[in-house]
Amino acid sequence: MPTDPAPPTPPDEDVAALRRDRDEAREQLAATGEILRAMGRSAADLEGVLTVVAEAASRLCRADAALIYLLEEGAFRVAAAAGVSDDYLAYVQLHPMLADRATLSGRVAVDRRAQHIEDVLADPEYGRPELQRVGGFRSTLAVPMLVEDEVMGVVNLWRSEVNPFSERAIELVTTFAAQAAIAIRSVDLVRAFAARSRDLAATVEQLEALRDVGHAVSSSLQLDEVLTTIVTHAVQLTDTDGGSVFELDAAAREFRVRAAYGSGQELVAALRQTRISLDETLVGRACLDGEPRMLSDLEHATLDPHLQVLKEAGWRSILAVPILHEGDI
C-alpha cells in the first residue's frame, strides 16, 4: 500500500515567529505571576505593586521608561516609575500634568481609551514640550486604569527614539493597566476596612470607658475618686498627655484643681497655688461661653496665670471643656 506523504515542513521564518510568540507568552505569564505575588505579599503596599507593574510593562514592551500616574483632583501624580530620571520625576512633581488634551496621559484620561503617539515632536496637539525636553521621549503609549468606568490613573510608556509601539504592546499594557486598577481597588478596600476596624475599636474603647465611669459614679460616694476616673479615661481616649478637672468656687469666682491625671505632683501643687479666675482665664471663658476653647500652641499665645504655669511645665496645646448643668457652671 502507498504510504502517506510526510507533512510539509513550515518555513524557517514561521518557526521563528512561533517561537517568538511562545517566548513572549511565557514572559507575559511570568510578569503576571510576579504582579499577583506582589499583590499577595501586601495588599496595602500600593507603591510596591505598581512598581512591579511599571517594571514589567517597560521590560516586555521594550520601552525605555514606564510611569504609572494616579489621577487626583484633576492632576496626575507619579505613583511608580521604571527607567525614568530623577530630573524628570522632580520636574513633573513641581509641574504636574492635568487631565486635558495637552499631554497623552491627559487625552487618555479624557477619552477613557488607550492612545499612542508615534512621534511627540510631530504631534500638533501635544502642548507640554518642556516635558519632552526633560524626559527625552519621542514615541509614547498610554492606557487608562479604569475602575467602574472611573479613571484612577494612567500607565504611560515611552521610547527615546521614534519607534512606534505595536498592537501587541498596546494589548499587553492594557492588561497591566487592568491589573494596576485591581491593585488600587484592593488597597482602597483594605484601607477602608482598616479604618472601619479602627473606628469600631475606638467605639468599644469609649463604651468600656463609659461603663467604668458609670460604675464609679454608682458605686462610690468619693467624688475625687469618680472625677479621677473620668479625667483618666478622657486623657487616654483622646491620646493626650495629661488633664485635670477644675471645680468652681462660685463665691470667689475662681477654679481649683479637684482631680488630675498625667500631671506631676509639682505641677498640681503649682496649680493649686495659682489663682485661676473665672473672668480672666481660658477655662473661665470656656465656661462663661458654654463651649470648648482650644489653644494649639502656648508658645504663640497670650498667657493667663493658669496657662503660664502649664507652659513652664512643658505643656504646649490646651483644650478646655466646660462642665455645665442646666446652664450652671
Side-chain angles (χ1 to χ4, degrees), residues 2-329:
T3 58
D4 294 332
T9 302
D12 291 343
E13 58 270 19
D14 291 345
V15 174
L18 289 171
R19 287 174 176 170
R20 284 195 301 270
D21 290 344
R22 179 200 62 192
D23 293 341
E24 288 177 358
R26 286 176 175 174
E27 284 185 295
Q28 183 176 348
L29 183 60
T32 300
E34 188 178 357
I35 294 168
L36 292 175
R37 285 191 295 272
M39 294 172 64
R41 283 194 298 270
S42 176
D45 182 17
L46 181 60
E47 181 180 355
V49 174
L50 296 183
T51 297
V52 172
V53 173
E55 292 173 346
S58 177
R59 183 176 66 252
L60 293 184
C61 295
R62 311 297 189 260
D64 294 312
L67 298 104
I68 296 181
Y69 296 99
L70 295 184
L71 184 58
E72 299 172 347
E73 298 181 356
F76 290 103
R77 175 180 66 84
V78 177
V84 181
S85 70
D86 292 338
D87 289 343
Y88 183 85
L89 294 176
Y91 186 87
V92 80
Q93 182 178 6
L94 293 174
H95 308 87
M97 297 184 298
L98 302 179
D100 57 27
R101 306 199 71 82
T103 63
L104 181 61
S105 293
R107 295 179 209 174
V108 165
V110 171
D111 297 339
R112 288 178 167 78
R113 61 181 178 84
Q115 296 189 50
H116 177 217
I117 298 178
E118 294 188 3
D119 185 358
V120 171
L121 296 183
D123 187 278
E125 197 177 3
Y126 193 81
R128 293 291 301 272
E130 82 284 1
L131 286 176
Q132 191 279 329
R133 288 194 294 269
V134 176
F137 49 86
R138 297 292 296 273
S139 295
T140 181
L141 164 68
V143 178
M145 296 183 295
L146 298 171
V147 174
E148 296 179 355
D149 202 38
E150 179 183 358
V151 179
M152 307 302 295
V154 171
V155 180
N156 185 289
L157 274 65
W158 79 54
R159 288 171 177 159
S160 301
E161 298 180 352
V162 177
N163 183 11
F165 289 88
S166 66
E167 288 297 326
R168 186 181 185 88
I170 295 174
E171 293 175 1
L172 186 58
V173 177
T174 299
T175 299
F176 286 136
Q179 292 171 327
I182 292 172
I184 294 171
R185 172 48 61 90
S186 298
V187 169
D188 288 343
L189 291 174
V190 168
R191 289 175 178 171
F193 178 77
R196 179 61 177 163
S197 297
R198 287 193 297 269
D199 291 343
L200 289 174
T203 300
V204 170
E205 189 177 8
Q206 292 168 10
L207 290 173
E208 290 176 345
L210 290 173
R211 178 200 62 196
D212 293 343
V213 170
H215 177 75
V217 170
S218 62
S219 64
S220 175
L221 298 177
Q222 298 296 322
L223 180 58
D224 289 342
E225 179 182 335
V226 174
L227 295 180
T228 298
T229 299
I230 291 173
V231 71
T232 297
H233 284 297
V235 170
Q236 293 173 344
L237 287 176
T238 54
D239 194 27
T240 48
D241 296 313
S244 52
V245 176
F246 293 90
E247 183 179 13
L248 176 66
D249 182 337
R253 294 184 68 82
E254 63 183 49
F255 295 95
R256 62 188 179 91
V257 177
R258 191 63 188 262
Y261 177 79
S263 303
Q265 293 182 356
E266 292 183 2
L267 174 57
V268 174
L271 290 174
R272 285 176 174 158
Q273 295 173 4
T274 302
R275 185 174 188 274
I276 304 175
S277 167
L278 173 64
D279 302 301
E280 302 171 354
T281 60
L282 178 73
V283 293
R285 288 196 301 275
C287 289
L288 290 172
D289 295 341
E291 55 187 44
R293 295 292 179 187
M294 184 182 71
L295 289 175
S296 59
D297 191 350
L298 295 184
E299 292 286 347
H300 306 289
T302 301
L303 303 179
D304 59 46
H306 169 225
L307 299 179
Q308 183 64 46
V309 172
L310 295 180
K311 180 177 179 295
E312 292 174 356
W315 288 40
R316 294 292 296 273
S317 299
I318 305 298
L319 171 66
V321 180
I323 303 176
L324 304 174
H325 178 64
E326 296 181 351
D328 293 332
I329 304 169

